C-alpha cells in the first residue's frame, strides 16, 4: 500500500462529507429553501493544517471524487495565479481575457453552456442522477494567500448570479476558521453559508505510514533508530509534511542501495535466499567483514569459525539461515512492539525527562502493577486483537496464552473485602507522581502480606509480558546481517535533508563542478573558471570586493574573465572591451545575485551596490 492510498483512506471520511455537502446544496438549488436564501453561497471551510506540501494530494483526490460522483464542473485556483479578480475569474472559468464590463456575462454564458453538455466522460454519472442545474464548485486551494480585495470582488460577482448558477465554494484553510473573518468583511462573509470540515492531523497521517508501511515485515528496507529520529525531527520542526517525510525515506533507500553492495539481499524472503546462493566471491568477503557477522563468528565453536573464515560455500549456506532468522525476527518483532505501544499509550504519562524512550518499558511495568481487573483485561484484549493478524506460529501461541489469561481474569469473582484493586475503582485521574510514589511504597510495605488471587494472576501476566519483551524486542543491531537491510547513516541523511539554504547556494556558486559534473569547471583554489556560468563568475568576483561594489569595475573584471574564454590575447586592445551581449549577460547575473540576496542597490554612491553576505563557503 503506497502513501497516496494511505492518505486517501484517512481522508475518505472528510472527502465523503464534502461530497454529501455539495450534493445536498446542489440538489436544493431549485427548492423553495434555496430561493429564500438566494444571495448566499454554500461554502465549505476545509481545515487541512499547516502541512502545506500534502495539500495538493488532498485536493487532487477531492477533485476526482467530485467529478466522478457529483458534478463535472469543478475548478481549483491558486493565489499566485489570481493577482486580480479579472485573472481569478479567467483562471477559474478558463475564459479568454475580456473587458471587466462583460466578464460576468461571459461567465454566465460559458457555464450555462457547460451545464447543457452531458458528462459522458464520467462513467459513474448518468443523466438521471444529475440535476438539471449542476453545481459549479470553485476550490480556493490556499485561501490565506489570496488577496482580500480579489476574494471580496469575486464573491460579490458570484453572489449576484446564484439563481442562474448554483455556485459552491471550498476554502482550503491551513490555520483556523477565523481566517475567513480576518480576510473578509462582514458584508461579504454574510453572503456565505459556511460549514467547517476538519481533516485528520498530519501526525495521524505519519502514524498510519509507520503502522501500514514502515513497521511491516513485508517492507524489506529498514531504518535504524537514529535515522528515524532524524526524519521525525525534520517532520516535527520544519513542515509537518508526510510527503517530505516519504521523500526522506526514499532518499534513505536510494542511499542504502547505492552505498551498500550487499543490499541485493535486502528484498523479499525467497528472493533474498536465491541471491544468497549466487553470491560472488567478492560479496562473500564483504559479508565476512560485516561487524554483525564478525560478532556471530566469535560466538561459534573454533571448528565452525575456521569454516566460516575459509569456506565460501559454507558461508553462503550460513547466510541463508541467518536471512531466514532475520525475517522471522521482523515477523515477531513488530506485533510485540505494537502490543507494548498499545499498553503504554493507554496509561497515564509522566514527565520522565529527555530519555523517555529508554524508560517507556519501566513506566509500563510500574503502572501495570496497580491496574484494576477491568483495565488490565481491556489492555490485554487490545494486544490480542493485534496478534490475530500475525502469521507466525510463535505469535499464535502467544495469542493463545493471552486469551487464556483474559479468561482466567474474567472468571475471578469480586473481592469480598471490597478491595479497590479488584473492583476497578482505581482510576487514571487519581494517579499522579505523588500518588504513584505513595501507592508503590504501600505495595512495598505489604509484600509480606498474602496476595489475593487477582494480584497473583496479575503478577503472572506481568512476568509473561516481560518475557515477551526480553525475547522478541532485542535491538536490531544484535541480529547477524542486519547491515543488509538497515540504513544507519544518520549523519549523511541529516547533511542531505536538513541543510541551510544559504550554505547550499554558496557551495553551488563556489564549486559548480560538484553540481554540474563538468570537467571544464574544475579549478584550483582561488581561481575562476571562464567556462563557469555567468552567475558563478559574478559571485566569485564579488567576493574580492568590500562593502560597496562599483558596477563598472565589476563589469570590467567580468569581461576580462570572459575574454579568456574566447582565447583573446590579454595584452591586446580588444581584450577587456565588452559588447552589448556581454553587458546584457552581466546585468542578468547581477539581477540574479540581487534576487538571491547577495547584493542590493544603494543610494550612498552612484553606480554602486551594497554587499549583503560575508565569508565564503
Amino acid at each position: 500500500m503506497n502513501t497516496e492510498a494511505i492518505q486517501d483512506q484517512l481522508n475518505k471520511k472528510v472527502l465523503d462529507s464534502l461530497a454529501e455537502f455539495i450534493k445536498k446544496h446542489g440538489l436544493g438549488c431549485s427548492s423553495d429553501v434555496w430561493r429564500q436564501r438566494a444571495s448566499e453561497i454554500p461554502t465549505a471551510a476545509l481545515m487541512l493544517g499547516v502541512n502545506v506540501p500534502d495539500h495538493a494530494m488532498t485536493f487532487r483526490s477531492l477533485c476526482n471524487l467530485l467529478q466522478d460522483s457529483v458534478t463535472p464542473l469543478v475548478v481549483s485556483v491558486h493565489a499566485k495565479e489570481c493577482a486580480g479578480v479579472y485573472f481569478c475569474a479567467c483562471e477559474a472559468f478558463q475564459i479568454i481575457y475580456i473587458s471587466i464590463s462583460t466578464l460576468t456575462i461571459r461567465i454566465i454564458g460559458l457555464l450555462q453552456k457547460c451545464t447543457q453538455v452531458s458528462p459522458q466522460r464520467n462513467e459513474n454519472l448518468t443523466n438521471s442522477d444529475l440535476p438539471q442545474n449542476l453545481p459549479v464548485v470553485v476550490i480556493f486551494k490556499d485561501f490565506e494567500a489570496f488577496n482580500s480585495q480579489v476574494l471580496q470582488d469575486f464573491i460579490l460577482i458570484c453572489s449576484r448570479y446564484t439563481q442562474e448558477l448554483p455556485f459552491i465554494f471550498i476554502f482550503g484553510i491551513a490555520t483556523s476558521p477565523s481566517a475567513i473573518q480576518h480576510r473578509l468583511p462582514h458584508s461579504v462573509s454574510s453572503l456565505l453559508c459556511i460549514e467547517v470540515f476538519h481533516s485528520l492531523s498530519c501526525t495521524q497521517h505519519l502514524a498510519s505510514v509507520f503502522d501500514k508501511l514502515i513497521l511491516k515485515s513485508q517492507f524489506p528496507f529498514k531504518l535504524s533508530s537514529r535515522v528515524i529520529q532524524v526524519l521525525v525531527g525534520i517532520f516535527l520542526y520544519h513542515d509537518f509534511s508526510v510527503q517530505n517525510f516519504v521523500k526522506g525515506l526514499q532518499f534513505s533507500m536510494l542511499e542504502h542501495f547505492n552505498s551498500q553492495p550487499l543490499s541485493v539481499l535486502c528484498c523479499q524472503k525467497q528472493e533474498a535466499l536465491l541471491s544468497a546462493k549466487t553470491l560472488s566471491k567478492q560479496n562473500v568477503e564483504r559479508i565476512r567483514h560485516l561487524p554483525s557477522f564478525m560478532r556471530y563468528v566469535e560466538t561459534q565453536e573454533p571448528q565452525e569459525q575456521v569454516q566460516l573464515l575459509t569456506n565460501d560455500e559454507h558461508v553462503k549456506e550460513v547466510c541463508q539461515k541467518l536471512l531466514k532468522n532475520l525475517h522471522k525476527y521482523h515477523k515477531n518483532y513488530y506485533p510485540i512492539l505494537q502490543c507494548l505501544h498499545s499498553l503504554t499509550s493507554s496509561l497515564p504519562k509522566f514527565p520522565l525527562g529527555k530519555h523517555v524512550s529508554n524508560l517507556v518499558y519501566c513506566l509500563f511495568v510500574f503502572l501495570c502493577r496497580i491496574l484494576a481487573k477491568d483495565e488490565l483485561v481491556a489492555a490485554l484484549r487490545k494486544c490480542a486483537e493485534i496478534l490475530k493478524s500475525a502469521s507466525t506460529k510463535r505469535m499464535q501461541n502467544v495469542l493463545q496464552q493471552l486469551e487464556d489469561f483474559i479468561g482466567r481474569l474474567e472468571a475471578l469473582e469480586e473481592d469480598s473485602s471490597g478491595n479497590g484493586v479488584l473492583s476497578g475503582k482505581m482510576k487514571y485521574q487519581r494517579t499522579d507522581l505523588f500518588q504513584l510514589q505513595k501507592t508503590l511504597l504501600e505495595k512495598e510495605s505489604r509484600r509480606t502480606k498474602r496476595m489475593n488471587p487477582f494480584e497473583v494472576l496479575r503478577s503472572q501476566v506481568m512476568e509473561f509480558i516481560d518475557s515477551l519483551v526480553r525475547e522478541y524486542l532485542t535491538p536490531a543491531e544484535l541480529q547477524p546481517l542486519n547491515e543488509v537491510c538497515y540504513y544507519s547513516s544518520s549523519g549523511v541523511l541529516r547533511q542531505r535533508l536538513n541543510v541551510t539554504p544559504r550554505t547550499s547556494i554558496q557551495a553551488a556558486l563556489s564549486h559548480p563542478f560538484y553540481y554540474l559534473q563538468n570537467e571544464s569547471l574544475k579549478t584550483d583554489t582561488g581561481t575562476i573558471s571562464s567556462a563557469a556560468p555567468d552567475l558563478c563568475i559574478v559571485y566569485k568576483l564579488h567576493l574580492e570586493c568590500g562593502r560597496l561594489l562599483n558596477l563598472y569595475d565589476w563589469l570590467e573584471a567580468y569581461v576580462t574573465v570572459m575574454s579568456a574564454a574566447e582565447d583573446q590575447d590579454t595584452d591586446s586592445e580588444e581584450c577587456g572591451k565588452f559588447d552589448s551581449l556581454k553587458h546584457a549577460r552581466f546585468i542578468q547575473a547581477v539581477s540574479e545575485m540581487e534576487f538571491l540576496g547577495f547584493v542590493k542597490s544603494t543610494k550612498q554612491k552612484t553606480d554602486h551596490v551594497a554587499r549583503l553576505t560575508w565569508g565564503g563557503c
Side-chain angles (χ1 to χ4, degrees):
M1 182 182 294
N2 55 31
T3 55
E4 292 188 9
I6 294 174
Q7 187 164 358
D8 288 342
Q9 183 179 357
L10 293 173
N11 288 331
K12 186 177 186 304
K13 184 176 180 180
V14 66
L15 295 183
D16 290 343
S17 300
L18 282 169
E20 289 299 322
F21 170 82
I22 294 173
K23 283 181 181 179
K24 177 180 64 175
H25 289 281
L27 293 174
C29 62
S30 59
S31 65
D32 295 336
V33 177
W34 176 267
R35 296 177 189 223
Q36 291 174 2
R37 308 172 64 184
S39 61
E40 289 190 347
I41 300 175
T43 303
L46 179 57
M47 310 307 300
L48 294 170
V50 296
N51 51 325
V52 177
D54 298 342
H55 294 177
M57 184 184 299
T58 302
F59 283 120
R60 185 166 60 249
S61 301
L62 177 60
C63 289
N64 294 335
L65 175 64
L66 296 180
Q67 289 176 345
D68 290 341
S69 61
V70 182
T71 173
L73 304 178
V74 180
V75 291
S76 57
V77 291
H78 282 282
K80 63 182 180 182
E81 300 164 346
C82 305
V85 66
Y86 171 78
F87 300 103
C88 181
C90 292
E91 179 65 27
F93 304 115
Q94 290 92 37
I95 61 176
I96 60 174
Y97 292 157
I98 55 180
S99 62
I100 194 66
S101 60
T102 58
L103 177 62
T104 56
I105 300 175
R106 296 293 290 272
I107 292 175
I108 298 296
L110 176 72
L111 293 178
Q112 287 178 343
K113 182 179 178 181
C114 291
T115 56
Q116 295 172 1
V117 179
S118 176
Q120 298 178 355
R121 65 183 182 87
N122 296 298
E123 299 177 357
N124 296 333
L125 287 176
T126 61
N127 292 333
S128 59
D129 297 331
L130 292 173
Q132 293 181 353
N133 293 324
L134 292 173
V136 180
V137 182
V138 183
I139 302 175
F140 298 84
K141 292 186 175 181
D142 43 356
F143 176 80
E144 289 96 336
F146 275 85
N147 182 279
S148 299
Q149 191 61 46
V150 172
L151 286 173
Q152 296 175 35
D153 294 342
F154 186 81
I155 294 171
L156 289 172
I157 291 174
C158 293
S159 65
R160 296 174 184 175
Y161 299 95
T162 52
Q163 290 183 335
E164 294 86 356
L165 293 171
F167 285 105
I168 297 178
F169 293 160
I170 297 178
F171 293 160
I173 301 176
T175 53
S176 67
S178 61
I180 299 177
Q181 281 72 31
H182 292 161
R183 303 196 67 80
L184 299 177
H186 178 71
S187 59
V188 178
S189 61
S190 61
L191 300 175
L192 305 176
C193 180
I194 302 174
E195 186 172 339
V196 180
F197 296 84
H198 292 271
S199 65
L200 293 179
S201 66
C202 52
T203 53
Q204 291 174 302
H205 285 194
L206 182 63
S208 297
V209 170
F210 268 95
D211 291 339
K212 299 180 180 180
L213 186 64
I214 298 178
L215 298 182
K216 288 288 185 181
S217 59
Q218 294 82 2
F219 189 61
F221 175 71
K222 308 297 179 185
L223 300 174
S224 68
S225 58
R226 292 187 177 181
V227 170
I228 291 179
Q229 288 177 0
V230 172
L231 291 176
V232 174
I234 294 174
F235 172 84
L236 293 176
Y237 297 109
H238 285 76
D239 53 11
F240 291 99
S241 173
V242 177
Q243 292 304 305
N244 289 345
F245 178 89
V246 173
K247 290 179 182 178
L249 178 63
Q250 293 172 344
F251 175 82
S252 303
M253 186 181 300
L254 293 175
E255 182 70 18
H256 175 71
F257 283 99
N258 181 55
S259 60
Q260 176 57 266
L262 296 173
S263 58
V264 65
L265 302 176
C266 177
C267 53
Q268 297 298 334
K269 180 179 178 181
Q270 299 300 328
E271 298 175 0
L273 296 181
L274 181 62
S275 300
K277 293 180 181 179
T278 59
L279 281 173
S280 63
K281 184 176 181 62
Q282 185 180 12
N283 283 339
V284 171
E285 287 299 322
R286 286 171 176 155
I287 289 177
R288 289 193 176 108
H289 287 84
L290 290 177
S292 63
F293 189 81
M294 295 173 65
R295 290 194 299 268
Y296 171 78
V297 173
E298 292 174 357
T299 60
Q300 304 301 309
E301 297 294 332
Q303 186 176 359
E304 178 67 13
Q305 292 181 359
V306 173
Q307 289 291 321
L308 291 173
L309 296 176
T310 58
N311 191 336
D312 291 352
E313 294 300 323
H314 184 66
V315 171
K316 294 179 182 180
E317 294 177 0
V318 173
C319 182
Q320 293 180 38
K321 183 186 71 172
L322 295 179
L323 287 174
K324 285 183 179 180
N325 295 337
L326 188 60
H327 282 281
K328 291 179 181 178
Y329 165 78
H330 290 144
K331 287 185 176 181
N332 296 327
Y333 180 89
Y334 293 122
I336 299 299
L337 180 64
Q338 291 175 346
C339 288
L340 182 61
H341 177 264
S342 68
L343 290 170
T344 56
S345 62
S346 61
L347 294 174
K349 299 298 186 292
F350 300 99
L352 296 175
K354 61 181 181 180
H355 300 293
V356 175
S357 58
N358 297 329
L359 298 175
V360 168
Y361 181 61
C362 297
L363 171 70
F364 160 73
V365 170
F366 280 115
L367 292 182
C368 279
R369 294 186 185 278
I370 60 173
L371 283 180
K373 186 186 76 170
D374 295 340
E375 297 161 351
L376 183 59
V377 170
L380 294 181
R381 285 191 181 279
K382 291 182 180 180
C383 295
E385 289 297 325
I386 295 173
L387 294 176
K388 286 181 180 178
S389 59
S391 57
T392 61
K393 293 182 179 179
R394 290 187 177 183
M395 291 298 102
Q396 294 303 316
N397 293 335
V398 172
L399 174 62
Q400 188 175 0
Q401 291 176 282
L402 272 180
E403 291 177 344
D404 179 63
F405 278 121
I406 293 173
R408 291 167 61 186
L409 284 169
E410 292 177 340
L412 287 176
E413 296 180 356
E414 293 293 330
D415 189 357
S416 58
S417 62
N419 195 332
V421 174
L422 225 174
S423 61
K425 294 181 180 179
M426 181 178 290
K427 301 298 182 182
Y428 291 149
Q429 56 267 26
R430 294 178 53 193
T431 307
D432 53 18
L433 287 175
F434 176 77
Q435 185 66 28
L436 175 64
Q437 183 181 15
K438 180 180 178 181
T439 305
L440 292 177
L441 290 175
E442 291 176 356
K443 292 289 182 181
E444 187 71 20
S445 63
R446 289 186 302 180
R447 276 187 176 179
T448 57
K449 297 183 180 180
R450 182 178 178 182
M451 299 172 64
N452 60 40
F454 168 70
E455 291 175 337
V456 173
L457 187 55
R458 183 175 58 186
S459 178
Q460 294 176 1
V461 171
M462 289 302 305
E463 291 177 359
F464 173 68
I465 295 178
D466 180 73
S467 64
L468 293 179
V469 171
R470 295 181 183 277
E471 180 178 359
Y472 297 110
L473 295 188
T474 56
E477 291 78 8
L478 301 181
Q479 300 298 317
L481 302 185
N482 68 84
E483 294 89 348
V484 303
C485 294
Y486 283 85
Y487 177 70
S488 57
S489 301
S490 58
V492 175
L493 188 66
R494 185 182 293 106
Q495 182 182 4
R496 295 291 188 270
L497 298 182
N498 196 16
V499 298
T500 306
R502 175 66 62 190
T503 304
S504 301
I505 294 173
Q506 289 178 323
L509 296 178
S510 301
H511 309 287
F513 165 75
Y514 296 105
Y515 289 82
L516 302 179
Q517 295 296 313
N518 188 344
E519 293 294 333
S520 62
L521 299 180
K522 278 188 174 182
T523 58
D524 298 331
T525 304
T527 61
I528 302 175
S529 173
S530 56
D534 295 339
L535 180 60
C536 297
I537 297 174
V538 171
Y539 171 78
K540 285 194 172 184
L541 290 173
H542 109 287
L543 294 177
E544 301 174 0
C545 302
R547 187 176 64 86
L548 295 178
L549 290 82
N550 187 302
L551 286 174
Y552 185 80
D553 295 341
W554 200 2
L555 173 60
E556 282 191 330
Y558 168 77
V559 172
T560 302
V561 175
M562 296 305 298
S563 299
E566 299 172 357
D567 297 330
Q568 294 185 5
D569 187 2
T570 55
D571 297 330
S572 65
E573 295 182 358
E574 297 295 329
C575 181
K577 293 185 178 181
F578 54 91
D579 52 20
S580 58
L581 178 60
K582 293 178 182 177
H583 191 189
R585 290 171 60 182
F586 172 77
I587 293 300
Q588 181 180 4
V590 173
S591 299
E592 292 173 352
M593 288 277 292
E594 186 175 4
F595 176 77
L596 292 174
F598 290 102
V599 296
K600 71 171 183 177
S601 58
T602 178
K603 296 181 180 179
Q604 290 182 330
K605 287 187 178 182
T606 307
D607 298 333
H608 280 67
V609 292
R611 182 177 173 185
L612 298 177
T613 59
W614 300 92
C617 181

